[in-house]
Amino acid sequence: MRRMRRRSCDGPPSKVFGKKNPLDIPIDKLRENQVKLDMQIGKIENEIAEIDREIALLFERAKNARSKSEELTIATKIKTLNQRKKSLQNTHAQLNKQLMLVSNLLIIKENEAILRGARPRGNS
């Protein structure tokens, strides 16, 4: 059986945020992380779409290949692109898990701030 490697975003939040307690991270820093993750995810999605376009073009070229040698060369390029795409998809999944974690922490922190503001004042 193949062993699955643990990803940095799997497991407890300390794997993502280091030794720091995630609830101690300021809201501004969490929002900054959220924006960075969104940008990284967008770049990866664009790169995956570009790879898909390249693969489609290579398949068209393969249909018109003049020799077996040319077909094999194109097939190798397609295989390489598919491996790159798979790697990007794994990274995409990891970043989405991290984004979900950061988003959930933001919700917790924002609700905490609301609750702190809504506490009844003492009788003074």
Side-chain angles (χ1 to χ4, degrees), residues 9 11 18 20-21 31 38 43 49 52 62 65-66 68 71 77 88-89 94 101 113 116 119 123:
C9 62
K20 195 171 191 177
N21 181 351
R31 285 191 183 122
D38 276 332
K43 285 180 184 178
D52 284 336
R66 294 182 195 102
K68 280 287 184 196
E71 281 181 25
K77 288 179 183 179
L88 286 171
Q89 288 170 330
Q94 288 177 303
L101 178 63
R116 283 190 180 161
R119 281 192 186 149
N123 295 336

Side-chain angles (χ1 to χ4, degrees), residues 67-99:
S67 67
K68 280 287 184 196
S69 175
E70 188 178 354
E71 281 181 25
L72 287 174
T73 302
I74 292 170
T76 303
K77 288 179 183 179
I78 290 171
K79 185 175 182 177
T80 302
L81 286 170
N82 275 326
Q83 288 172 339
R84 173 77 178 135
K85 180 179 169 182
K86 186 175 181 178
S87 173
L88 286 171
Q89 288 170 330
N90 289 336
T91 302
H92 187 267
Q94 288 177 303
L95 290 174
N96 272 312
K97 285 179 185 178
Q98 290 179 13
L99 179 60

Side-chain angles (χ1 to χ4, degrees), residues 110-123:
E110 288 167 350
N111 287 339
E112 179 183 51
I114 290 169
L115 290 173
R116 283 190 180 161
R119 281 192 186 149
R121 303 280 179 209
N123 295 336

Side-chain angles (χ1 to χ4, degrees), residues 3-122:
R3 280 190 168 171
M4 298 295 287
R5 285 188 342 200
R6 278 193 83 131
R7 306 275 189 231
S8 63
C9 62
D10 291 346
S14 61
K15 294 272 185 186
V16 177
F17 296 106
K19 294 184 179 186
K20 195 171 191 177
N21 181 351
L23 294 175
D24 292 339
I25 298 172
I27 289 178
D28 293 343
K29 192 72 172 167
L30 288 171
R31 285 191 183 122
E32 183 182 316
N33 285 339
Q34 187 177 36
V35 169
K36 286 179 183 178
L37 287 168
D38 276 332
M39 289 174 55
Q40 287 177 316
I41 289 169
K43 285 180 184 178
I44 288 174
E45 288 170 349
N46 290 338
E47 194 170 343
I48 289 171
E50 180 60 31
I51 288 172
D52 284 336
R53 282 189 287 276
E54 286 181 51
I55 289 172
L57 289 172
L58 286 170
F59 271 115
E60 286 303 313
R61 274 185 51 198
K63 288 179 187 176
N64 301 322
R66 294 182 195 102
S67 67
K68 280 287 184 196
S69 175
E70 188 178 354
E71 281 181 25
L72 287 174
T73 302
I74 292 170
T76 303
K77 288 179 183 179
I78 290 171
K79 185 175 182 177
T80 302
L81 286 170
N82 275 326
Q83 288 172 339
R84 173 77 178 135
K85 180 179 169 182
K86 186 175 181 178
S87 173
L88 286 171
Q89 288 170 330
N90 289 336
T91 302
H92 187 267
Q94 288 177 303
L95 290 174
N96 272 312
K97 285 179 185 178
Q98 290 179 13
L99 179 60
M100 190 171 17
L101 178 63
V102 168
S103 296
N104 288 339
L105 281 171
L106 260 171
I107 291 167
I108 290 168
K109 295 288 282 187
E110 288 167 350
N111 287 339
E112 179 183 51
I114 290 169
L115 290 173
R116 283 190 180 161
R119 281 192 186 149
R121 303 280 179 209

